[in-house]
Amino acid sequence: MSTAVTTLDQENVALVRRVTDAVNARRYDDMDELFAPNFVDHNPAWNVDSLQALKGLLAVAQEALDFRAGLDALYAADGGRVIMQITFTGRHIAPIFGIHPSGLPVSWTSIEVYRLENHKIVERWVQADTTGLMRQVGVLMPE
């Protein structure tokens, strides 16, 4: 692997780490410089069609779940991609999914893949345990 590729991989990992830092600090506007204007989100659980929509979803979720994202793993992959494994931990303090707050702790995991071009995030794929989270806050699930 060439030095240029290694350096670019390190820069990409550092940029994606800044996303987590911004989310944890609730500084959503800091994300503007990290994402490309044509950013596409591939998350089967949410309808996110822009960075603005993603920032709004994060704000609502943090208001309801008072969570922090803890990085379990973060590493570069082929094709300008960065893979992140996260454990979110928080407390159910406001309504979410139509369920009144319980005050109980919640946690869920997520695997996320970010694709970068020209030092900007252009795509993100997410596989999160949204069903597990919904169960924790009291959403009735089919048997």
Coordinates of all heavy atoms in Angstrom, one line a residue, residues 36-98:
A36 N -20.9 15.9 1.7 CA -21.0 16.5 0.4 C -22.5 17.0 0.2 O -23.4 16.4 0.8 CB -20.7 15.5 -0.7
P37 N -22.7 18.0 -0.6 CA -24.1 18.5 -0.8 C -25.0 17.4 -1.4 O -26.2 17.4 -1.2 CB -23.9 19.6 -1.9 CG -22.4 19.9 -1.9 CD -21.7 18.7 -1.4
N38 N -24.4 16.4 -2.1 CA -25.3 15.4 -2.7 C -25.3 14.1 -1.9 O -25.5 13.0 -2.4 CB -24.7 15.0 -4.1 CG -23.3 14.6 -4.1 OD1 -22.5 14.8 -3.2 ND2 -22.9 13.9 -5.2
F39 N -25.0 14.2 -0.6 CA -25.0 13.1 0.4 C -26.3 12.2 0.2 O -27.4 12.7 0.1 CB -24.9 13.6 1.8 CG -25.2 12.6 2.9 CD1 -24.4 11.5 3.1 CD2 -26.3 12.8 3.6 CE1 -24.7 10.6 4.1 CE2 -26.7 11.8 4.6 CZ -25.8 10.8 4.8
V40 N -26.1 10.9 0.2 CA -27.2 9.9 0.2 C -27.0 9.0 1.4 O -26.0 8.5 1.6 CB -27.1 9.1 -1.1 CG1 -28.2 8.0 -1.2 CG2 -27.2 10.0 -2.4
D41 N -28.1 8.8 2.1 CA -28.2 7.9 3.2 C -29.0 6.7 2.9 O -30.1 6.8 2.4 CB -28.8 8.7 4.4 CG -28.6 8.0 5.7 OD1 -27.4 7.7 6.1 OD2 -29.5 7.8 6.5
H42 N -28.4 5.5 3.2 CA -29.0 4.2 3.0 C -29.3 3.6 4.4 O -28.4 2.9 4.9 CB -28.2 3.3 2.2 CG -27.7 3.9 0.9 ND1 -28.5 3.9 -0.2 CD2 -26.5 4.5 0.5 CE1 -27.8 4.5 -1.2 NE2 -26.6 4.8 -0.8
N43 N -30.4 4.0 5.0 CA -30.8 3.4 6.3 C -32.2 2.9 6.2 O -33.1 3.8 6.1 CB -30.6 4.5 7.3 CG -30.9 4.1 8.7 OD1 -31.5 3.0 8.9 ND2 -30.4 4.8 9.7
P44 N -32.4 1.6 6.3 CA -33.8 1.1 6.1 C -34.8 1.5 7.2 O -36.0 1.4 6.9 CB -33.6 -0.4 6.1 CG -32.3 -0.6 6.8 CD -31.4 0.6 6.5
A45 N -34.3 2.0 8.3 CA -35.2 2.3 9.4 C -35.8 3.7 9.3 O -36.8 4.0 9.9 CB -34.5 2.2 10.7
W46 N -35.1 4.7 8.6 CA -35.5 6.1 8.6 C -35.6 6.6 7.2 O -34.8 6.2 6.3 CB -34.5 6.9 9.4 CG -34.2 6.4 10.7 CD1 -33.0 5.8 11.1 CD2 -35.1 6.3 11.9 NE1 -33.1 5.4 12.4 CE2 -34.4 5.6 12.9 CE3 -36.4 6.6 12.1 CZ2 -35.0 5.4 14.2 CZ3 -37.0 6.4 13.3 CH2 -36.2 5.8 14.3
N47 N -36.4 7.6 7.0 CA -36.5 8.2 5.7 C -35.6 9.5 5.7 O -36.1 10.6 6.1 CB -37.9 8.6 5.3 CG -38.1 9.2 4.0 OD1 -37.2 9.0 3.1 ND2 -39.1 9.9 3.8
V48 N -34.3 9.4 5.4 CA -33.4 10.5 5.4 C -33.0 10.7 4.0 O -32.3 9.9 3.4 CB -32.2 10.2 6.3 CG1 -31.1 11.2 6.2 CG2 -32.6 10.0 7.8
D49 N -33.3 11.9 3.5 CA -33.0 12.2 2.1 C -32.0 13.3 1.9 O -31.7 13.8 0.8 CB -34.3 12.5 1.3 CG -35.0 13.7 1.8 OD1 -34.6 14.3 2.8 OD2 -36.1 14.0 1.2
S50 N -31.4 13.8 3.0 CA -30.4 14.9 3.0 C -29.7 15.0 4.3 O -30.1 14.4 5.3 CB -31.2 16.2 2.7 OG -32.0 16.6 3.8
L51 N -28.6 15.8 4.3 CA -27.9 16.0 5.5 C -28.8 16.8 6.5 O -28.8 16.4 7.7 CB -26.7 16.8 5.3 CG -25.9 17.2 6.5 CD1 -25.5 16.0 7.4 CD2 -24.6 18.0 6.2
Q52 N -29.7 17.7 6.1 CA -30.6 18.4 7.0 C -31.5 17.4 7.7 O -31.8 17.5 8.9 CB -31.4 19.4 6.2 CG -30.8 20.8 6.1 CD -30.2 21.4 7.4 OE1 -29.0 21.5 7.5 NE2 -31.0 21.7 8.4
A53 N -32.0 16.5 6.9 CA -32.9 15.5 7.5 C -32.2 14.6 8.5 O -32.8 14.3 9.5 CB -33.6 14.6 6.4
L54 N -31.0 14.2 8.2 CA -30.2 13.5 9.1 C -29.9 14.2 10.4 O -30.1 13.7 11.5 CB -28.8 13.0 8.5 CG -27.9 12.3 9.4 CD1 -28.5 11.0 9.9 CD2 -26.6 12.0 8.7
K55 N -29.6 15.5 10.3 CA -29.3 16.3 11.5 C -30.6 16.4 12.3 O -30.6 16.4 13.6 CB -28.8 17.7 11.1 CG -27.4 17.6 10.6 CD -26.8 18.9 10.0 CE -27.4 20.1 10.1 NZ -26.7 21.3 9.5
G56 N -31.8 16.6 11.7 CA -33.0 16.7 12.4 C -33.4 15.4 13.1 O -33.8 15.4 14.2
L57 N -33.2 14.2 12.4 CA -33.4 12.9 13.1 C -32.5 12.8 14.3 O -33.0 12.3 15.3 CB -33.1 11.8 12.0 CG -33.2 10.4 12.6 CD1 -34.6 10.0 13.0 CD2 -32.7 9.4 11.6
L58 N -31.2 13.1 14.2 CA -30.3 13.0 15.3 C -30.8 13.8 16.5 O -30.7 13.4 17.6 CB -28.9 13.3 14.9 CG -28.2 12.3 14.0 CD1 -27.0 12.9 13.4 CD2 -27.9 11.0 14.7
A59 N -31.2 15.1 16.2 CA -31.6 16.0 17.2 C -32.8 15.4 18.0 O -32.9 15.5 19.2 CB -31.9 17.4 16.7
V60 N -33.8 14.9 17.2 CA -35.0 14.4 17.9 C -34.7 13.1 18.7 O -35.1 13.0 19.8 CB -36.1 14.0 16.8 CG1 -37.2 13.1 17.3 CG2 -36.6 15.3 16.2
A61 N -33.8 12.3 18.1 CA -33.4 11.0 18.9 C -32.6 11.4 20.1 O -32.9 10.8 21.2 CB -32.6 10.1 18.0
Q62 N -31.7 12.4 20.1 CA -31.0 12.7 21.3 C -31.9 13.4 22.3 O -31.7 13.2 23.5 CB -29.8 13.6 20.9 CG -28.6 12.8 20.4 CD -27.4 13.6 20.3 OE1 -27.4 14.7 19.7 NE2 -26.3 13.0 20.8
E63 N -32.8 14.2 21.9 CA -33.8 14.8 22.8 C -34.6 13.7 23.5 O -34.8 13.8 24.7 CB -34.7 15.7 22.1 CG -35.7 16.4 23.0 CD -36.6 17.4 22.2 OE1 -36.1 18.2 21.4 OE2 -37.8 17.4 22.4
A64 N -35.0 12.7 22.8 CA -35.8 11.6 23.5 C -35.0 10.6 24.2 O -35.4 10.1 25.2 CB -36.6 10.9 22.4
L65 N -33.8 10.3 23.8 CA -33.0 9.2 24.3 C -31.7 9.6 25.0 O -31.0 8.8 25.6 CB -32.7 8.2 23.2 CG -33.9 7.6 22.5 CD1 -33.5 6.8 21.3 CD2 -34.7 6.8 23.5
D66 N -31.4 10.9 25.0 CA -30.2 11.4 25.7 C -29.0 10.5 25.5 O -28.4 10.1 26.5 CB -30.5 11.7 27.2 CG -29.5 12.5 27.8 OD1 -28.8 13.3 27.2 OD2 -29.3 12.4 29.1
F67 N -28.7 10.2 24.3 CA -27.7 9.1 24.1 C -26.3 9.7 23.7 O -26.2 10.9 23.3 CB -28.1 8.2 22.9 CG -28.1 8.8 21.6 CD1 -26.9 8.9 20.8 CD2 -29.3 9.2 21.0 CE1 -27.0 9.5 19.5 CE2 -29.3 9.8 19.7 CZ -28.1 9.9 19.0
R68 N -25.3 8.9 23.9 CA -24.0 9.1 23.4 C -23.6 7.9 22.5 O -23.9 6.8 22.8 CB -23.0 9.2 24.5 CG -23.1 10.6 25.3 CD -21.9 10.8 26.2 NE -20.6 10.7 25.7 CZ -20.0 11.7 24.9 NH1 -20.6 12.8 24.6 NH2 -18.8 11.5 24.5
A69 N -22.8 8.2 21.5 CA -22.3 7.2 20.6 C -20.9 6.8 21.1 O -20.0 7.7 21.1 CB -22.3 7.7 19.2
G70 N -20.7 5.5 21.4 CA -19.4 5.1 21.7 C -18.8 4.2 20.6 O -19.4 3.3 20.1
L71 N -17.6 4.6 20.1 CA -17.0 3.9 19.0 C -16.4 2.6 19.5 O -15.5 2.6 20.3 CB -15.9 4.7 18.4 CG -16.4 6.0 17.6 CD1 -15.2 6.8 17.1 CD2 -17.3 5.6 16.5
D72 N -16.9 1.5 19.0 CA -16.4 0.1 19.3 C -15.3 -0.2 18.3 O -14.3 -0.9 18.7 CB -17.5 -0.9 19.2 CG -18.6 -0.6 20.2 OD1 -18.3 -0.2 21.4 OD2 -19.8 -0.8 19.9
A73 N -15.4 0.2 17.1 CA -14.4 0.0 16.0 C -14.6 1.1 15.0 O -15.7 1.5 14.7 CB -14.6 -1.4 15.4
L74 N -13.5 1.5 14.4 CA -13.5 2.5 13.3 C -12.2 2.2 12.5 O -11.1 2.3 13.0 CB -13.4 3.9 13.9 CG -13.5 5.1 12.9 CD1 -14.8 5.1 12.2 CD2 -13.2 6.4 13.7
Y75 N -12.4 1.9 11.2 CA -11.3 1.6 10.4 C -11.6 1.8 8.9 O -12.7 1.8 8.5 CB -10.8 0.1 10.6 CG -11.9 -0.9 10.4 CD1 -12.1 -1.6 9.2 CD2 -12.7 -1.3 11.5 CE1 -13.0 -2.5 9.0 CE2 -13.6 -2.3 11.3 CZ -13.8 -2.9 10.1 OH -14.8 -3.9 9.9
A76 N -10.5 2.0 8.1 CA -10.6 2.2 6.7 C -10.8 0.9 6.0 O -10.4 -0.1 6.4 CB -9.3 2.9 6.2
A77 N -11.6 1.0 4.9 CA -11.8 -0.1 4.0 C -11.5 0.3 2.6 O -11.3 1.5 2.3 CB -13.2 -0.6 4.1
D78 N -11.6 -0.6 1.6 CA -11.3 -0.3 0.2 C -12.3 0.7 -0.3 O -13.4 0.8 0.2 CB -11.3 -1.6 -0.6 CG -10.2 -2.5 -0.3 OD1 -9.2 -2.1 0.2 OD2 -10.3 -3.7 -0.7
G79 N -11.9 1.4 -1.4 CA -12.7 2.3 -2.1 C -13.2 3.5 -1.4 O -14.3 4.0 -1.6
G80 N -12.3 4.1 -0.6 CA -12.6 5.3 0.1 C -13.7 5.2 1.2 O -14.4 6.1 1.5
R81 N -13.8 4.0 1.7 CA -14.8 3.7 2.7 C -14.2 3.6 4.1 O -13.1 3.3 4.3 CB -15.6 2.4 2.4 CG -16.5 2.5 1.2 CD -17.1 1.2 0.8 NE -18.1 1.3 -0.2 CZ -17.9 1.4 -1.5 NH1 -16.7 1.4 -1.9 NH2 -18.9 1.5 -2.3
V82 N -15.1 4.0 5.1 CA -14.7 3.8 6.5 C -15.9 3.1 7.2 O -17.0 3.4 7.0 CB -14.5 5.2 7.2 CG1 -14.3 5.1 8.7 CG2 -13.4 6.0 6.5
I83 N -15.5 2.1 8.0 CA -16.5 1.3 8.7 C -16.5 1.6 10.1 O -15.4 1.7 10.7 CB -16.2 -0.2 8.4 CG1 -16.3 -0.5 6.9 CG2 -17.2 -1.1 9.2 CD1 -15.9 -1.9 6.6
M84 N -17.7 1.8 10.7 CA -17.8 2.2 12.1 C -18.7 1.2 12.8 O -19.8 0.9 12.3 CB -18.4 3.6 12.2 CG -18.6 4.1 13.6 SD -19.6 5.7 13.6 CE -18.4 6.8 12.7
Q85 N -18.3 0.7 13.9 CA -19.2 -0.1 14.8 C -19.4 0.8 16.1 O -18.5 1.2 16.7 CB -18.6 -1.4 15.2 CG -19.5 -2.2 16.1 CD -18.8 -3.5 16.5 OE1 -17.8 -3.9 16.0 NE2 -19.4 -4.2 17.4
I86 N -20.7 1.0 16.4 CA -21.0 1.9 17.5 C -22.0 1.2 18.5 O -22.9 0.5 18.1 CB -21.8 3.1 16.9 CG1 -21.1 3.8 15.8 CG2 -22.1 4.2 18.0 CD1 -22.0 4.7 15.0
T87 N -21.8 1.6 19.8 CA -22.8 1.2 20.8 C -23.3 2.6 21.3 O -22.6 3.4 21.8 CB -22.2 0.4 21.9 OG1 -21.8 -0.8 21.4 CG2 -23.3 0.1 23.0
F88 N -24.6 2.8 21.1 CA -25.3 4.0 21.7 C -25.8 3.6 23.1 O -26.4 2.6 23.2 CB -26.5 4.4 20.8 CG -26.1 4.8 19.4 CD1 -26.1 3.9 18.4 CD2 -25.7 6.1 19.1 CE1 -25.8 4.2 17.1 CE2 -25.4 6.5 17.8 CZ -25.4 5.5 16.8
T89 N -25.6 4.5 24.0 CA -26.2 4.3 25.3 C -26.9 5.6 25.7 O -26.4 6.7 25.4 CB -25.1 4.0 26.4 OG1 -24.1 5.0 26.4 CG2 -24.5 2.6 26.1
G90 N -28.0 5.5 26.4 CA -28.7 6.7 26.8 C -29.8 6.4 27.8 O -29.8 5.3 28.5
R91 N -30.8 7.3 27.9 CA -31.9 7.1 28.8 C -33.2 7.7 28.1 O -33.1 8.7 27.4 CB -31.7 7.9 30.1 CG -32.7 7.7 31.1 CD -32.3 8.2 32.5 NE -31.1 7.6 33.0 CZ -31.0 6.3 33.5 NH1 -32.1 5.6 33.7 NH2 -29.8 5.9 33.9
H92 N -34.3 7.0 28.2 CA -35.5 7.4 27.5 C -36.2 8.5 28.3 O -36.9 8.3 29.3 CB -36.4 6.2 27.4 CG -37.7 6.4 26.7 ND1 -38.8 5.6 26.9 CD2 -38.1 7.4 25.8 CE1 -39.8 6.0 26.1 NE2 -39.4 7.1 25.5
I93 N -35.9 9.8 27.9 CA -36.4 10.9 28.7 C -37.5 11.8 28.1 O -38.0 12.7 28.7 CB -35.2 11.8 29.1 CG1 -34.5 12.4 27.8 CG2 -34.2 11.1 29.9 CD1 -33.5 13.5 28.1
A94 N -37.8 11.5 26.8 CA -38.9 12.2 26.2 C -39.6 11.2 25.2 O -39.0 10.2 24.9 CB -38.3 13.4 25.4
P95 N -40.8 11.6 24.7 CA -41.5 10.6 23.8 C -40.7 10.3 22.6 O -40.1 11.2 22.0 CB -42.8 11.4 23.5 CG -43.0 12.4 24.6 CD -41.6 12.8 25.0
I96 N -40.8 9.0 22.2 CA -40.3 8.6 20.9 C -41.1 7.4 20.4 O -41.6 6.6 21.3 CB -38.8 8.2 21.0 CG1 -38.2 8.0 19.6 CG2 -38.5 7.0 21.9 CD1 -36.7 8.0 19.5
F97 N -41.3 7.3 19.1 CA -42.1 6.2 18.6 C -43.5 6.2 19.2 O -44.2 5.2 19.3 CB -41.5 4.8 18.8 CG -40.1 4.6 18.3 CD1 -39.1 4.2 19.2 CD2 -39.7 4.8 17.0 CE1 -37.8 4.0 18.8 CE2 -38.4 4.7 16.6 CZ -37.5 4.3 17.5
G98 N -44.0 7.4 19.6 CA -45.3 7.5 20.2 C -45.4 7.0 21.6 O -46.5 6.8 22.2

